[in-house]
Amino acid sequence: MMPSDRRPSSDSADALEPALLVVVAVAVAADLASLARLIPPPLGEATRTALALAAGLAALIAVTHAVASGSPAAGLAAAVAVPLAALYAYTGLLLPWTQLSFVLGQAGVELALSVPLVGEPVARALFGGFTLSEATLEHAFRIHYAIVAVAVVAVLGRAGAVLRGHVEASPA
């Protein structure tokens, strides 16, 4: 394969990275707006569902970028991003504490407890115990916003690197 044959793949990978940054940045901004109660409560469940879908889209873009670029670093980033996006989406859906949240929480506790040896510690870590309670919401909140903080740092760091690369590449 000649180097020129790989260029279209690189172009598509180059286009996916800004798309990924935009999806994550918009999701983080909407999540923080929801936390600050800038989004009215009646829209809370719809917002959380949209954020869960955005997390899935971000994970899909990250995997597509990793495949298109062929970079081991992008592959590692995608391998980390997919479970983080899933955990972000799951904990985000638990937060409004609606009927959907209760059903998802109960399913999560039962799923965690069904895993031999590690199920009980996972249930304690994610849900604060073996039943749904106020501790479940506290744990979901902490995990969810820890992931948001990681996303903010990652987006700002990567956006800075991309912008620095564009500034260095532009003619003086």
Side-chain angles (χ1 to χ4, degrees):
M1 184 181 267
M2 296 178 60
S4 62
D5 293 340
R6 290 188 51 95
R7 189 64 193 154
S9 174
S10 179
D11 287 344
S12 62
D14 290 345
L16 287 172
E17 187 171 13
L20 176 60
L21 291 174
V22 167
V23 168
V24 173
V26 168
V28 165
D31 201 325
L32 293 175
S34 179
L35 177 66
R37 298 190 191 271
L38 298 175
I39 297 174
L43 298 176
E45 189 167 348
T47 301
R48 290 286 167 198
T49 304
L51 290 173
L53 292 172
L57 177 62
L60 179 64
I61 294 172
V63 169
T64 306
H65 176 261
V67 170
S69 70
S71 163
L76 179 61
V80 170
V82 169
L84 278 179
L87 190 58
Y88 168 84
Y90 183 74
T91 56
L93 289 172
L94 290 179
L95 291 179
W97 206 242
T98 60
Q99 184 64 34
L100 173 65
S101 304
F102 182 79
V103 170
L104 288 173
Q106 193 62 41
V109 168
E110 291 172 11
L111 182 64
L113 290 174
S114 70
V115 178
L117 300 175
V118 296
E120 289 183 22
V122 167
R124 280 194 195 106
L126 289 178
F127 304 104
F130 307 125
T131 60
L132 300 178
S133 66
E134 186 69 29
T136 305
L137 289 177
E138 291 173 10
H139 284 253
F141 183 86
R142 287 182 189 135
I143 292 167
H144 185 79
Y145 284 102
I147 294 171
V148 169
V150 168
V152 167
V153 170
V155 165
L156 291 176
R158 191 61 196 151
V162 167
L163 290 174
R164 187 174 55 245
H166 284 299
V167 168
E168 291 172 359
S170 65

